[in-house]
Amino acid sequence: MDDLEKILSLAEKSTGGIESTGNIITQIYRQYIAKYNAADQYLNEVIKEKGKPSAKDMEIAARLYAVPKMRRHYKNIANILVRADQLYEQWKPQKDEMRKAPEDDWIDYFLDRVKTVSDETVQRLWACILTQECFEQGTFRRVMLDRLALLDRSSAALFQILCDLTYDIEVSDGRNYSVPLYIRDTELCKMIHNTCIDFTEEDAMLYKNYFSINDRVLHGSEIEEELEVLQEIGLVNLSEENDESDIYSIENIEFTVSTENKKFKVLPLYDEKQEVYYVVTGCMTFTKIGLELYKALKKQIVKPLFFLKLVESFMNYGEFQK
């Protein structure tokens, strides 16, 4: 058996379980470090046979220690590359053109941040980021990759939900916005009891139940806590309680709201004190990083069936028509 075969054989044996201990934290650590025990096992065998390990033996032990971690890293990277290839085939234009690859420095930076990502939900986001960067170089700068590397399974799943619940607003003066529609429970209750719109308790529950992560529906403060994590990461801006986000103009202009292929007009409201026209958009907006990530995900988003009615009801909500 050559050195490589010995390395791979011992690395496979190193993934077995260990005896439990009374200390749960110690047990967790031992279970983790057991994956890398092949190096110790190899050196113990060498010492028994030779009495002292050689420089070559130490090199083999070092490689043994690295094998399990490298396997996991390469597996994670491979999964993301496979997903990115699939997305590229879906997104490429009809007349595909040769595109310049991202710079080596960017690729190195990207791989360093994705190699430890094993969760499929987060891997899907990174695959979208890589694919978008191949289409439009410079979309995701290094500082953006650093912020996105903070996403875990829950925050990534919640961001995906917000993307599903995002609508577009075109302003007649040329401005365009993509807005994640987040409505707090207090406003949902007011919408249900508002006689100016056709919005029922069942409609509200469809919306609330959509905030489901890992097969568990989040409620009230749980959603707020998870959204605050996204805000700390730098993907969204969350408004204060009893406050809403708005789009303003000093001129009486027209707003066009759209979701997928559906569009409708919205008349602006007027604030006499500030002398501005505005439209209320919800309790949240994307940051620049969040918006770029949404654009990368947009091509594969399927809006929930209830979403169009929800947006129309929210925009016509009588509470905002004062």
Side-chain angles (χ1 to χ4, degrees):
M1 178 182 294
D2 60 24
D3 289 345
L4 181 59
E5 290 176 339
K6 183 179 288 187
I7 288 172
L8 296 178
S9 175
L10 288 175
E12 289 292 339
K13 295 177 182 178
S14 71
T15 58
I18 64 172
E19 294 182 0
S20 61
T21 67
N23 189 318
I24 185 63
I25 303 301
T26 302
Q27 183 179 344
I28 291 172
Y29 170 76
R30 287 173 185 260
Q31 289 173 341
Y32 170 80
I33 207 65
K35 302 180 181 69
Y36 308 102
N37 281 344
D40 290 338
Q41 294 174 10
Y42 174 75
L43 289 177
N44 287 335
E45 291 181 9
V46 168
I47 292 173
K48 290 178 181 178
E49 293 176 5
K50 303 179 180 179
K52 182 180 179 180
S54 65
K56 180 66 174 178
D57 292 325
M58 296 302 294
E59 179 185 345
I60 292 175
R63 292 165 64 188
L64 269 172
Y65 182 82
V67 165
K69 186 173 292 186
M70 290 178 63
R71 281 181 172 173
R72 182 165 60 88
H73 290 175
Y74 285 133
K75 180 180 179 181
N76 292 338
I77 291 172
N79 287 341
I80 292 172
L81 293 177
V82 169
R83 294 179 186 277
D85 278 336
Q86 294 170 346
L87 289 174
Y88 185 89
E89 291 301 313
Q90 296 172 13
W91 295 1
K92 67 181 181 181
Q94 292 181 351
K95 295 183 179 180
D96 194 21
E97 300 177 357
M98 181 65 68
R99 298 180 183 276
K100 184 180 178 182
E103 296 179 355
D104 288 351
D105 288 349
W106 188 94
I107 295 177
D108 285 342
Y109 210 78
F110 176 87
L111 295 179
D112 281 344
R113 275 139 193 82
V114 304
K115 65 185 181 183
T116 58
V117 177
S118 303
D119 182 74
E120 292 185 3
T121 301
V122 187
Q123 286 181 350
R124 284 196 292 269
L125 294 186
W126 283 111
C128 289
I129 291 169
L130 177 58
T131 308
Q132 183 68 18
E133 186 67 22
C134 289
F135 277 107
E136 298 181 33
Q137 284 189 48
T139 300
F140 291 96
R141 299 169 62 182
R142 293 187 188 184
V143 65
M144 295 182 176
L145 298 183
D146 284 340
R147 305 305 296 179
L148 294 170
L150 300 174
L151 287 166
D152 58 13
R153 178 187 300 178
S154 296
S155 55
L158 182 56
F159 188 81
Q160 180 67 66
I161 290 172
L162 294 176
C163 290
D164 293 347
L165 299 174
T166 293
Y167 65 97
D168 298 315
I169 294 184
E170 302 172 23
V171 188
S172 56
D173 61 9
R175 289 176 290 163
N176 294 280
Y177 300 89
S178 293
V179 183
L181 183 53
Y182 174 55
I183 310 172
R184 291 188 170 99
D185 289 349
T186 52
E187 300 305 323
L188 281 174
C189 290
K190 292 177 183 178
M191 290 174 63
I192 292 171
H193 295 96
N194 191 294
T195 58
C196 298
I197 58 175
D198 179 19
F199 190 78
T200 66
E201 186 174 349
E202 288 75 16
D203 295 323
M205 290 307 300
L206 286 173
Y207 173 72
K208 287 172 63 66
N209 290 337
Y210 201 73
F211 286 87
S212 174
I213 298 178
N214 301 327
D215 298 322
R216 190 176 72 85
V217 177
L218 303 181
H219 297 286
S221 61
E222 292 180 311
I223 299 177
E224 291 282 322
E225 289 174 2
E226 290 292 341
L227 291 176
E228 287 173 1
V229 172
L230 288 180
Q231 183 169 247
E232 288 295 323
I233 292 175
L235 298 183
V236 300
N237 292 314
L238 187 62
S239 71
E240 297 293 334
E241 188 73 33
N242 299 319
D243 190 17
E244 308 294 333
S245 301
D246 309 289
I247 298 175
Y248 291 91
S249 174
I250 60 173
E251 299 179 359
N252 188 0
I253 55 180
E254 188 177 72
F255 297 89
T256 301
V257 176
S258 61
T259 169
E260 293 187 309
N261 296 322
K262 305 292 184 180
K263 292 186 177 184
F264 59 92
K265 304 293 184 181
V266 176
L267 295 177
L269 308 177
Y270 184 68
D271 188 321
E272 295 182 354
K273 292 183 178 180
Q274 299 188 37
E275 297 183 343
V276 293
Y277 295 89
Y278 69 98
V279 62
V280 177
T281 60
C283 301
M284 178 182 298
T285 58
F286 284 129
T287 63
K288 178 177 175 55
I289 299 177
L291 182 60
E292 292 299 340
L293 183 55
Y294 166 71
K295 290 178 180 177
L297 298 172
K298 188 175 182 179
K299 295 183 180 67
Q300 62 177 6
I301 290 174
V302 178
K303 301 294 183 185
L305 296 176
F306 65 81
F307 189 55
L308 177 60
K309 181 179 180 181
L310 176 69
V311 175
E312 290 178 328
S313 298
F314 180 78
M315 287 298 170
N316 294 321
Y317 175 26
E319 179 70 13
F320 297 132
Q321 306 299 321
K322 293 182 179 179

